[in-house]
């Protein structure tokens, strides 16, 4: 559609169509991300409260405290803007945004449903990993520019931790790339079409293990407990965020939740089937573009809901982890990365590669083509297949 | 710090050392404690503790008030274990006066003191978890502590500063049905301890953070005057409830309980306790924490026995003395086993109602003095673990 | 060992340092000369039959009556008493050690009385002696780091003395 608009405009204004399209994409992504983040703020308080045997917000906005997030946001906006005297003023001010923007920019390449992506890249996995990794600059800058020793401690710990855990994270993500044959996230998710047995997490034992290693590394990458040393409340007051208050602090938290959402989305797409539900009922009902565009859109929307549900479950899992486990010390975190996660991830990668050479299909997929129905679910699959063939 | 060796080109590349201030306001210093640390990166090379931010001149006030008037001030020493502080001063005064309370009073005092010990250890154990990042056990233990505080509120009207045990006796007898409510609380509390064990004592990450950290040998513990779980965690089985002065250990003569200490690496086996992990070294933070958790179980047994004995004993509960009761001339020093250690009160009396000198020996004072030695050569994150395992409260350190 | 046995043993070891004792008091105490503190304490700690390895408390009692009418009626002259509470974890016996010091050296105010430190025998004393110095104004010779512990570093005066007068202000804060 952008091409059509671009072709109608005079030559020198053709870029305006692309810019407009980009703005619309950004607006849509921003809406999704910010709505999710506001939801997560409320969700974290509820999850933590329930785990701790209490209720959480119950007054602001009804019995469940729905309006707590906007209320907190308004409060933070109205707070006094404090910049410590010893802080480097300009760097101090831009650091939160340097933290949030890469986390958000990674969403440009993350598809939310089949074809629903701002930038369909062949190298989406690489792009997301690289861009999300730039968040570390904001953190280090925040720690340095605060002019406080506690902040610098937090920043140094964060630098070591995030950069280290990028390695096993990437190693784990190579496995779905291998299984799908492409780094394009849309292709990876489409390769897991069908029943939940087609999901890459159940493809072979190595990818199953790799999924859990990915979960651990993703938690470490986003500074969530038990790896939340950079913001270790009990030792460094608030780590690199010590000197931040008001809205700047809110931006840091937005960055943390955005990164958490990004990482869970990647996990859902790469390992948990993406927008394909556990049971492929959209195909049975004929919700595809070949029938009618509106039905196809509805099918995609169901896929979007699937993906959102899976990633939100992942986020809840990470939140529950935070409120259950104590914090690891920095040397234990680094030991865990380099002595356990990296060798394990490498071994899983090797194992998955060997598996692909020996067995063309997965544990639940049959011998033969990658998308062939597996003998174990042949009966039900045949039934579904018949229904599919009946559709014109 | 750069020093060429033998004129060769290799020399030690030194790094700058920082002075880091874990200031009076800090989430994990258990009050207004200031620790100045000299750190080389994450490694702490030196540690100095600065106290006195909560000094309220309690000893000077003790020279102007009668002991009964001073009892509320004892509540505010170790405010997490008010009953034990009350008992400390009360028994010291009764030792000076040569007074023995009735049996019913004795059992009621044991009940109050042991219930307060449970409350204090709950805070200690779970704020250790809080300092290490485990937020949930803290909330759960405070939920249980809330129930204890409600029981005490029924008993004496206060949730934290009880002023209940006073020279002469106690301020009030138990209300109707209170003993049944105590037993009901204990019945539902025992499973909670298992939950806390699962989240803290046996938790792999918790063990990694606490085992082998801040090892205090038995000789050092005695040399530095450490008492209570800090001393027992280093393997010295010394508990004033069994080894103290007759007026104090006489309170517990007919009670059955074990002294919790790793004697030869083994703990008493009277209950089904979680196993000791192999990484834990006797005298480290994990053992100090473990001693407290096990003492909670012992205190539950003591409270049950106290309830039974109170019901069986005849007579009545002694009321407190007059406020301006004259003290016989002389001196008396008595230490009691408070949750955090041995708490001592030294009274010098010249025959009037107001003591000539009231000196308070605080257990956390000596327990904290060992932190300067323990924190050398550990990582910054371990300082929080060590201070948490010592279980200090600045109220009694600074008085 | 009973208090009388401890007393007779100490009299044997240090006859010129050990003064009187009150063994029938509620807490039996032995008084020694201040100059002989370290020697007596070393014997108490290192003698195998005594083995006093635990120092509970160091306190100072200020025997001074600020009211002149009541001062005339007291049985004692103004002095300071340094009281050490000791016990043995191995043997189980307890002891109170006392020694007298003048309130000021040669009646000159601001010259604090001095006594040897026992911190090298019992590290407990490191902080206890600091507190005694801070609040009661007794200087401990040989203490590695004698400075105030509870009061601020720039505080003037020793609050637990009976003739202590609170300053009118401290750094602009009214104190009276």
């Amino acid at each position: 559609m952008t091409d059509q608009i671009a072709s109608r405009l005079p030559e020198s204004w053709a870029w305006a169509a692309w810019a407009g399209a980009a703005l619309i994409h950004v607006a849509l992504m921003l809406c999704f991300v910010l709505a999710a983040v506001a939801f997560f703020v409320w969700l974290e308080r509820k999850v933590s409260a329930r785990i701790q045997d209490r209720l959480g917000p119950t007054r602001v906005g009804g019995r469940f405290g729905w309006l707590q997030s906007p209320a907190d946001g308004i409060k933070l906006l109205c707070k006094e803007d404090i910049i410590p005297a010893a802080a480097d003023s300009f760097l101090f001010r831009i650091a939160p945004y340097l933290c949030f923007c890469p986390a958000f920019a990674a969403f440009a390449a993350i598809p939310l449903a089949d074809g629903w992506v701002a930038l369909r890249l062949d190298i989406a996995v690489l792009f997301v990993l690289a861009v999300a990794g730039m968040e570390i600059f904001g953190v280090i800058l925040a720690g340095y520019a605060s002019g406080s020793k506690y902040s610098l401690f937090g920043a140094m710990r964060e630098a070591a931790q995030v950069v280290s855990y990028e390695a096993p994270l990437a190693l784990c993500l190579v496995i779905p790339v291998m299984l799908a044959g492409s780094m394009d996230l849309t292709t990876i998710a489409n390769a897991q079409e069908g029943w939940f047995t087609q999901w890459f997490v159940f493809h072979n034992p190595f990818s199953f293990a790799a999924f859990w290693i990915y979960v651990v590394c993703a938690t470490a990458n986003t500074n969530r407990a038990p790896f939340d040393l950079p913001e270790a409340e009990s030792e460094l007051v608030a780590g690199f965020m010590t000197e931040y208050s008001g809205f700047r602090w809110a931006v840091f938290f937005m960055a943390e939740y955005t990164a958490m959402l990004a990482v869970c989305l990647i996990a859902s797409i790469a390992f948990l089937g993406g927008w394909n539900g556990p049971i492929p009922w959209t195909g049975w009902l004929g919700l595809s573009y070949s029938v009618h565009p509106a039905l196809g859109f509805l099918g995609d929307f169901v896929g979007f809901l699937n993906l959102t549900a899976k990633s939100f479950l992942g986020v809840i899992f990470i939140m529950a982890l935070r409120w259950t486990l104590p914090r690891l010390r920095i040397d234990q975190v680094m030991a865990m990365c380099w002595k356990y996660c990296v060798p394990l991830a490498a071994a899983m990668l090797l194992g998955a590669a060997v598996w692909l050479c020996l067995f063309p299909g997965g544990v639940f997929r049959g011998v033969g083509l990658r998308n062939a129905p597996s003998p174990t679910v042949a009966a039900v699959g045949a039934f579904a297949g018949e229904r599919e063939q009946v559709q014109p | 710090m750069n020093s060429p060796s033998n004129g060769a080109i290799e020399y030690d590349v030194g790094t700058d050392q920082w002075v880091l201030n874990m200031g009076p306001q800090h989430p994990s210093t258990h009050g207004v404690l200031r620790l100045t640390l000299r750190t080389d990166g994450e490694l702490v090379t030196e540690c100095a503790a600065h106290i006195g931010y909560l000094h309220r001149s309690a000893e000077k006030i003790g020279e102007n008030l009668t002991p009964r008037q001073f009892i509320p001030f004892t509540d505010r020493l170790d405010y997490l274990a008010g009953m034990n502080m009350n008992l400390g001063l009360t028994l010291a005064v009764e030792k000076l006066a040569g007074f023995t309370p009735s049996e019913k009073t004795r059992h009621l005092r044991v009940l109050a003191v042991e219930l307060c010990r449970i409350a204090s250890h709950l805070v200690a154990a779970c704020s250790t978890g809080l300092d290490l990042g485990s937020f949930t056990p803290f909330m759960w233990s405070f939920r249980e502590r809330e129930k204890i505080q409600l029981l005490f509120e029924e008993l004496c009207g206060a949730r934290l500063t009880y002023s209940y045990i006073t020279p002469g006796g106690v301020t009030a007898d138990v209300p109707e049905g209170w003993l049944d409510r105590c037993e009901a609380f204990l019945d539902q509390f025992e499973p909670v301890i298992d939950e806390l064990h699962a989240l803290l004592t046996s938790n792999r990450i918790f063990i990694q953070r606490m085992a082998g950290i801040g090892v205090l040998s038995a000789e050092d513990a005695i040399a530095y005057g450490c008492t209570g779980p800090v001393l027992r965690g280093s393997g010295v089985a010394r508990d004033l409830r069994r080894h103290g002065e007759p007026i104090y250990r006489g309170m517990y003569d007919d009670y059955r309980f074990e002294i919790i200490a790793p004697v030869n690496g083994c703990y008493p086996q009277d209950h089904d306790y979680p196993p000791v992990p192999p990484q834990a070294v006797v005298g480290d933070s994990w053992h100090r924490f473990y001693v407290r958790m096990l003492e909670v179980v012992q205190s539950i047994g003591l409270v049950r026995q106290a309830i039974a004995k109170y019901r069986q004993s005849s007579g009545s509960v002694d009321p407190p003395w007059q406020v301006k009761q004259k003290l016989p001339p002389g001196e008396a020093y008595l230490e009691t086993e408070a949750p955090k250690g041995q708490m001592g009160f030294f009274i010098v009396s010249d025959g009037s109602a107001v003591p000539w000198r009231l000196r308070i020996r605080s257990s956390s004072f000596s327990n904290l003095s060992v932190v300067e030695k323990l924190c050398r050569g550990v990582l910054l994150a371990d300082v929080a673990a060590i201070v948490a395992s010592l279980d200090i409260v600045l109220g009694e350190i600074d008085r | 060992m009973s208090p009388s046995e401890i007393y007779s043993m100490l009299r044997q070891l240090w006859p010129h340092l050990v003064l009187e004792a009150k063994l029938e008091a509620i807490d039996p105490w032995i008084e020694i000369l201040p100059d002989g503190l370290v020697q007596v304490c070393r014997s108490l700690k290192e003698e195998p039959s005594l083995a006093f390895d635990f120092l509970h408390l160091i306190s100072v009692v200020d025997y001074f009556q600020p009211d002149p009418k009541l001062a005339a009626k007291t049985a004692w002259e103004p002095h300071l008493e340094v009281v050490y509470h000791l016990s043995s974890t191995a043997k189980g016996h307890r002891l109170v050690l006392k020694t007298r010091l003048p309130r000021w050296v040669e009646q000159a105010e601001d010259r604090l009385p001095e006594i040897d430190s026992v911190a090298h025998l019992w590290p407990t004393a490191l902080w206890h002696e600091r507190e005694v110095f801070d609040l009661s104004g007794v200087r401990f010779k040989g203490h590695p780091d004698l400075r105030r512990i509870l009061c601020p570093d720039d505080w003037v005066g020793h609050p637990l003395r009976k003739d202590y007068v609170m300053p009118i202000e401290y750094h602009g804060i009214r104190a009276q």
Side-chain angles (χ1 to χ4, degrees):
Chain A
M1 189 161 80
T2 319
D3 293 330
Q4 293 171 344
I5 301 177
S7 59
R8 285 195 195 145
L9 291 171
E11 278 279 334
S12 53
W13 285 93
W15 61 268
W18 295 104
L23 277 176
I24 293 174
H25 278 127
V26 165
L28 283 173
M29 294 306 306
L30 205 59
C31 285
F32 175 66
V33 166
L34 292 183
V37 163
F39 179 67
F40 286 154
V41 170
W42 173 87
L43 189 66
E44 171 115 50
R45 293 178 68 159
K46 278 297 191 186
V47 164
S48 69
R50 292 293 168 159
I51 290 180
Q52 292 171 3
D53 199 17
R54 53 186 180 92
L55 288 175
T58 50
R59 291 188 195 272
V60 184
R63 233 177 57 181
F64 297 103
W66 297 114
L67 287 180
Q68 187 72 44
S69 300
D72 282 337
I74 295 172
K75 174 204 79 171
L76 288 168
L77 274 171
C78 297
K79 272 196 168 182
E80 181 186 350
D81 185 17
I82 302 177
I83 301 182
D88 186 331
S89 176
F90 175 65
L91 293 177
F92 186 83
R93 279 195 280 247
I94 65 168
Y97 307 108
L98 269 188
C99 212
F100 176 69
C101 293
F104 177 61
F107 275 81
I110 299 182
L112 294 177
D114 195 355
W116 289 22
V117 60
L119 271 183
R120 177 135 181 193
L121 295 173
D122 292 345
I123 49 159
V125 169
L126 187 62
F127 176 84
V128 169
L129 281 177
V131 170
M134 281 176 28
E135 191 185 351
I136 184 68
F137 292 125
V139 169
I140 296 180
L141 201 57
Y144 165 74
S146 297
S148 143
K149 283 176 189 167
Y150 281 123
S151 310
L152 197 54
F153 252 116
M156 289 301 115
R157 285 177 173 180
E158 162 108 12
Q161 182 181 312
V162 170
V163 167
S164 305
Y165 274 93
E166 299 261 341
L169 196 73
L171 279 176
C172 289
L173 277 181
V174 172
I175 295 180
V177 166
M178 269 196 325
L179 294 177
S182 157
M183 279 209 251
D184 186 356
L185 282 169
T186 320
T187 315
I188 293 178
N190 281 334
Q192 298 172 70
E193 217 171 328
W195 286 78
F196 67 91
T197 49
Q198 306 285 54
W199 294 354
F200 284 154
V201 69
F202 299 122
H203 187 273
N204 59 59
F206 299 102
S207 67
F208 186 75
F211 171 66
W212 293 108
I213 302 175
Y214 176 87
V215 167
V216 168
C217 296
T219 320
N221 225 22
T222 49
N223 298 326
R224 295 290 296 186
F227 304 100
D228 60 347
L229 286 120
E231 34 179 272
E233 201 184 83
S234 336
E235 297 142 32
L236 304 180
V237 187
F240 64 93
M241 281 190 273
T242 314
E243 305 294 338
Y244 282 89
S245 62
F247 195 63
R248 298 186 210 286
W249 178 84
V251 172
F252 271 120
F253 261 86
M254 271 163 48
E256 176 169 322
Y257 286 127
T258 310
M260 215 158 70
L261 180 63
V263 134
C264 287
L265 277 173
I266 301 285
S268 312
I269 293 172
F271 288 100
L272 295 179
W275 45 84
N276 300 303
I279 306 170
W281 55 271
T282 50
W284 299 342
L285 290 180
L287 295 176
S288 64
Y289 278 108
S290 49
V291 178
H292 191 275
L295 285 180
F297 183 83
L298 197 58
D300 280 345
F301 186 71
V302 170
F304 165 71
L305 289 178
N306 266 327
L307 180 59
T308 316
K310 284 178 206 169
S311 40
F312 277 28
L313 277 175
V315 168
I316 292 177
F317 177 72
I318 294 183
M319 284 181 184
L321 263 188
R322 175 181 186 187
W323 299 104
T324 314
L325 296 172
R327 198 175 290 128
L328 282 171
R329 218 171 49 203
I330 186 69
D331 64 320
Q332 292 161 351
V333 165
M334 302 309 288
M336 180 150 175
C337 174
W338 294 111
K339 287 193 212 169
Y340 297 99
C341 283
V342 167
L344 271 175
M348 295 304 118
L349 181 58
L350 190 62
V354 167
W355 178 284
L356 274 183
C357 291
L358 295 179
F359 314 109
V363 169
F364 295 110
R365 301 170 191 248
V367 178
L369 294 174
R370 201 178 56 229
N371 283 328
S374 143
T376 51
V377 292
V380 186
F383 177 66
E386 263 181 35
R387 293 273 311 264
E388 283 232 33
Q389 282 155 21
V390 164
Q391 308 291 339
Chain B
M1 291 195 64
N2 300 335
S3 54
S5 53
N6 302 326
I9 200 158
E10 297 92 26
Y11 52 84
D12 272 329
V13 179
T15 49
D16 259 342
Q17 288 197 333
W18 261 1
V19 173
L20 188 67
N21 192 38
M22 273 175 86
Q25 290 159 320
H26 195 275
S28 82
T29 51
H30 290 258
V32 275
L33 168 69
R34 179 173 166 226
L35 289 172
T36 25
L37 308 166
R38 187 183 287 274
T39 65
D40 180 7
E42 285 267 344
L43 197 71
V44 174
T45 46
E46 259 178 65
C47 167
H50 302 261
I51 57 177
Y53 290 92
L54 199 51
H55 180 58
R56 295 154 293 173
S57 39
E59 294 181 2
K60 189 86 177 176
I61 293 172
E63 294 174 12
N64 296 316
L65 295 176
T66 69
R68 260 211 75 196
Q69 289 170 324
F70 191 74
I71 288 283
F73 288 85
T74 58
D75 280 320
R76 281 129 178 105
L77 293 175
D78 178 0
Y79 34 79
L80 297 169
M83 293 288 191
N84 294 273
M85 301 294 113
N86 295 155
L87 183 73
L89 179 63
T90 301
L91 282 185
V93 170
E94 289 179 359
K95 178 181 174 184
L96 183 63
F99 173 82
T100 317
S102 68
E103 282 295 296
K104 240 178 154 69
T105 313
R106 171 169 79 92
H107 296 308
L108 194 48
R109 282 180 174 177
V110 170
L111 206 171
V113 158
E114 292 305 319
L115 207 52
C116 211
R117 191 184 304 271
I118 297 175
S120 174
H121 279 327
L122 278 177
V123 176
C126 297
S127 43
T128 309
L130 191 68
D131 288 342
L132 297 184
S134 185
F135 307 95
T136 310
F138 183 76
M139 301 302 291
W140 291 353
S141 72
F142 262 70
R143 179 193 65 207
E144 299 309 314
R145 197 159 173 264
E146 189 67 28
K147 297 172 192 164
I148 297 181
Q149 288 180 320
L150 280 173
L151 285 171
F152 279 143
E153 192 182 7
E154 280 182 60
L155 181 66
C156 59
R159 284 160 50 92
L160 197 66
T161 51
Y162 310 112
S163 305
Y164 179 62
I165 302 178
T166 50
V170 293
T171 53
D173 203 351
V174 296
E176 190 74 37
W178 190 81
L179 292 170
D180 297 320
R181 286 193 283 277
C182 266
E183 286 184 320
F185 161 72
L186 292 174
D187 290 332
Q188 64 88 55
F189 176 56
E190 278 170 331
V192 175
I193 303 181
D194 293 324
E195 290 176 359
L196 295 176
H197 280 311
L199 273 187
L200 289 175
T201 322
S202 317
N203 185 308
R204 181 96 200 276
I205 298 181
F206 185 80
I207 294 172
Q208 257 188 310
R209 286 295 300 272
M210 296 278 275
I213 304 295
V215 180
L216 181 67
S217 66
E219 296 80 36
D220 277 339
I222 295 176
Y224 276 86
C226 299
T227 51
V230 176
L231 180 66
R232 287 194 283 280
S234 297
V236 180
R238 191 167 171 77
D239 188 323
L240 285 188
R241 293 174 289 177
R242 287 283 186 243
H243 305 127
E245 297 199 28
I247 186 176
Y248 180 57
R249 70 164 188 262
M251 272 177 73
Y252 290 88
D253 258 342
D254 44 350
Y255 284 82
R256 277 185 340 271
F257 67 99
E258 298 286 334
I259 301 177
I260 304 291
V263 179
N264 298 325
C266 296
Y267 282 90
Q269 294 296 318
D270 58 329
H271 276 89
D272 200 12
Y273 299 127
V276 178
Q279 308 99 307
V281 174
V282 168
D284 67 6
S285 305
W286 190 89
H287 276 277
R288 293 192 276 273
F289 170 82
Y290 193 56
V291 164
R292 288 190 193 101
M293 292 299 282
L294 267 50
E295 280 184 7
V296 169
V297 178
Q298 295 297 319
S299 291
I300 294 178
L302 279 166
V303 174
R304 285 197 203 276
Q305 291 174 54
I307 293 176
K309 288 185 203 295
Y310 177 86
R311 284 194 172 124
Q312 285 161 11
S313 60
S314 55
S316 63
V317 167
D318 289 330
W321 293 338
Q322 291 179 355
V323 174
K324 292 216 163 60
Q325 174 100 4
K326 279 201 193 311
L327 297 170
E331 302 170 1
Y333 177 65
L334 183 69
E335 280 192 353
T336 54
E337 187 74 33
K340 296 185 166 54
Q342 289 168 205
M343 190 75 188
F345 286 84
F346 177 45
I347 304 181
V348 177
S349 165
D350 59 350
S352 69
V354 173
W356 184 256
R357 176 82 166 99
L358 181 64
R359 174 90 165 102
I360 303 166
R361 189 244 184 220
S362 141
S363 46
S364 304
F365 187 76
S366 300
N367 286 356
L368 185 62
S369 63
V370 86
V371 80
E372 302 185 344
K373 185 170 198 281
L374 288 182
C375 282
R376 235 167 251 154
V378 296
L379 294 180
L380 189 60
D382 295 328
V383 172
I386 292 173
V387 170
S389 75
L390 291 177
D391 188 21
I392 53 170
V393 73
L394 267 296
E396 67 170 359
I397 294 180
D398 290 343
R399 285 154 278 145
Chain C
M1 283 177 82
S2 73
S4 51
E5 287 170 2
I6 300 174
Y7 181 51
S8 44
M9 187 163 198
L10 280 182
R11 284 213 75 133
Q12 269 183 344
L13 290 169
W14 305 102
H16 54 292
L17 293 176
V18 177
L19 301 175
E20 52 166 323
K22 195 167 174 197
L23 301 170
E24 67 286 353
I26 300 172
D27 287 325
W29 51 263
I30 298 177
E31 187 177 336
I32 60 171
L33 279 178
D35 298 326
L37 180 70
V38 174
Q39 291 139 306
V40 174
C41 288
R42 180 164 287 126
S43 312
L44 284 172
K45 184 176 179 208
E46 290 169 3
E47 273 296 311
S49 53
L50 294 172
F52 281 98
D53 56 355
F54 200 88
L55 172 65
H56 289 267
L57 187 63
I58 303 179
S59 359
V60 160
V61 188
D62 187 8
Y63 284 95
F64 175 77
Q65 178 56 264
D67 187 341
K69 280 193 294 207
L70 295 170
K73 294 191 213 158
T74 57
W76 32 258
E77 290 299 312
H79 66 279
L80 290 180
E81 244 177 42
V82 188
V83 184
Y84 294 78
H85 285 85
L86 302 163
S87 79
S88 169
T89 45
K91 306 279 177 188
H93 43 232
R94 276 179 282 266
L95 182 66
V96 178
L97 207 60
K98 287 196 192 186
T99 179
R100 284 193 188 211
L101 288 176
R103 295 189 78 243
W104 309 105
V105 174
E106 289 155 16
Q107 311 303 320
E109 302 234 344
D110 300 343
R111 284 197 58 195
L112 298 175
E114 292 190 348
I115 193 173
D116 290 316
S117 163
V118 294
H120 56 284
L121 292 173
W122 298 293
T124 320
L126 283 169
W127 276 29
H128 282 275
E129 286 175 355
R130 274 179 67 187
E131 179 176 347
V132 165
F133 162 67
D134 183 9
L135 296 180
S136 302
V138 172
R139 214 172 264 288
F140 289 88
K141 293 182 287 196
H143 190 281
D145 183 23
L146 194 67
R147 54 193 164 92
R148 288 188 183 266
I149 192 168
L150 290 180
C151 294
D153 288 327
D154 57 354
W155 194 261
V156 171
H158 300 278
L160 276 178
R161 294 243 177 169
K162 294 281 185 184
D163 56 351
Y164 175 74
V165 174
M166 193 74 174
I168 297 180
E169 68 141 29
Y170 173 72
H171 285 285
I173 310 169
R174 266 186 72 93
Q176 278 206 40

